[in-house]
Amino acid sequence: MGSNSKQVSEIPIVDLTGLQPSLPSGERWEAAKAAAAAALQSHGFFEAIYPSLSAELRGEMLGRAAPEFFSLPLESKRRSTSEEPYQGYIGQAAPIPYESLRIDAVDSPIAVQDLTRLMWPQGNPTFFNAVVAFAKPLRDLAEMVQEMILQSLGVDQKHYDALVNLTDHGLRLSHYGVPVNQETEIALFPHLDPNLLSIVCQHEIGGLEFQIAGGSWVNAEPSPTSVHVMAGLAFQAWSNMSVRAPMHRVRMLGNEKRFSAIYGTRPSHNSIVKSPEELADAGRGPLLYKPFNYTELVRFLCSKQGMGHSPEDAFNSYCKLQN
């Protein structure tokens, strides 16, 4: 590990064992809610102890189903296409040995079945079952964290309902090879996620790193009983910066392939992200972001103009109010 990296002790830990989104109350819920809110405010991320995502589910998804997909011929993987950035299959682009597949509407078995048949016209029940089973506890986790944050902000229930009704769920499967640049060992450049929440599940081989105050990086070690939760830019804006999107990257320190899965929530296509007015009350200060179209934001961040700035500067130039 390089001199600008720190160890895992810098990562906040929140125990969500046994908690359910259908029971958003009680002593353990309140303790976890306080810890999650504090972590996302101070760091933008935390390690969630979450044994509901069992070792069996992880193994079926990341030890079997994901490698099976990425071993398909390139022409097969390219059947999943989209004109929108970060959608469908993303192939390797030098010098980054990275490829991924985003499964849209992963909370819908019909959508997962359609994607499966697109990849394997003859069908692939093993892949389909692995994705559906793996996604269920992660959807529960995403809903829990979002509700905890909204409870901690004290906003009206109608705002939570509106956010949920405009939220899409997806699962990104990723495959990392050995970096071309062995000096930097960068397998995915530092970036901010534009969405609401990302839940990262690493399988056996780590590599995820978060940037913390002062510019140093912390290594998020994989664990069979935990995942890493981080806020995205849309949630940072919606919450009026009560949660913060963290810079993160992937470094590959060995010569083994790495597979990971990211469960993500995001505003639905062309929906408007707007902070509740009450977040400017109670001494929180003025609203910091103007309402914006989420789809247009992502397009801007991926444009030549957006990519000509740092991720944070590009985001602020697009939707931050000038005070």
Side-chain angles (χ1 to χ4, degrees):
M1 189 67 67
S3 60
N4 67 333
S5 297
K6 294 186 178 181
Q7 296 304 310
V8 72
S9 60
E10 293 283 349
I11 297 179
I13 297 177
V14 181
D15 189 353
L16 300 174
T17 304
L19 297 180
Q20 303 175 30
S22 59
L23 298 171
S25 61
E27 184 176 338
R28 291 195 62 249
W29 175 277
E30 292 298 320
K33 178 179 75 175
L40 292 181
Q41 169 64 58
S42 62
H43 289 67
F45 61 88
F46 62 86
E47 180 179 356
I49 307 301
Y50 191 62
S52 294
L53 188 67
S54 67
E56 180 181 2
L57 291 175
R58 294 165 185 258
E60 285 297 312
M61 185 73 261
L62 293 171
R64 181 175 180 181
E68 183 178 7
F69 167 76
F70 288 113
S71 67
L72 286 171
L74 184 58
E75 59 268 24
S76 297
K77 292 182 283 191
R78 284 179 171 169
R79 291 175 190 151
S80 180
T81 61
S82 176
E83 295 181 356
E84 297 295 332
Y86 303 130
Q87 303 306 296
Y89 171 73
I90 300 173
Q92 296 189 20
I96 300 299
Y98 168 76
E99 57 179 340
S100 74
L101 171 73
R102 188 180 195 276
I103 305 173
D104 290 318
V106 72
D107 52 332
S108 165
I110 294 175
V112 177
Q113 186 67 272
D114 288 344
L115 184 280
T116 303
R117 288 174 176 163
L118 182 64
M119 295 296 105
W120 294 275
Q122 75 280 12
N124 188 333
T126 300
F127 182 87
F128 169 80
N129 291 332
V131 171
V132 171
F134 185 81
K136 174 58 172 66
L138 289 174
R139 174 174 180 140
D140 289 346
L141 175 56
E143 291 181 348
M144 278 197 296
V145 173
Q146 286 189 183
E147 180 152 353
M148 285 178 175
I149 300 309
L150 270 68
Q151 283 186 7
S152 71
L153 293 175
V155 297
D156 192 280
Q157 180 66 31
K158 67 182 180 182
H159 295 301
Y160 174 74
D161 294 340
L163 186 65
V164 169
N165 291 336
L166 291 175
T167 297
D168 286 345
H169 296 252
L171 182 69
R172 181 176 298 282
L173 305 179
S174 297
H175 168 225
Y176 301 82
V178 178
V180 174
N181 189 329
Q182 288 293 296
E183 184 175 340
T184 66
E185 299 172 320
I186 296 296
L188 191 62
F189 290 121
H191 62 285
L192 301 170
D193 286 355
N195 60 355
L196 292 166
L197 283 179
S198 296
I199 303 171
V200 183
C201 180
Q202 304 182 96
H203 183 64
E204 297 180 348
I205 306 300
L208 174 65
E209 294 185 345
F210 293 106
Q211 191 173 47
I212 59 174
S216 59
W217 294 85
V218 292
N219 183 29
E221 295 284 357
S223 162
T225 58
S226 68
V227 292
H228 290 86
V229 179
M230 74 180 93
L233 290 169
F235 212 1
Q236 175 176 306
W238 189 94
S239 70
N240 202 35
M241 222 164 183
S242 293
V243 303
R244 299 169 184 265
M247 191 75 73
H248 55 288
R249 68 186 184 186
V250 175
R251 289 177 70 224
M252 298 289 291
L253 306 180
N255 295 319
E256 298 180 80
K257 295 180 179 179
R258 175 182 184 264
F259 295 95
S260 71
I262 304 174
Y263 190 98
T265 63
R266 66 180 185 186
S268 57
H269 187 75
N270 280 330
S271 61
I272 302 300
V273 177
K274 182 179 185 297
S275 300
E277 291 293 336
E278 56 256 50
L279 291 184
D281 299 335
R284 290 189 175 100
L287 291 181
L288 300 173
Y289 299 93
K290 59 188 177 183
F292 60 89
N293 181 304
Y294 176 75
T295 303
E296 293 299 325
L297 166 68
V298 175
R299 289 173 181 164
F300 171 76
L301 294 176
C302 294
S303 70
K304 183 177 181 180
Q305 181 182 0
M307 296 184 72
H309 303 277
S310 71
E312 185 175 9
D313 287 345
F315 176 64
N316 288 337
S317 71
Y318 188 84
C319 62
K320 192 166 186 179
L321 293 168
Q322 300 299 317
N323 295 319

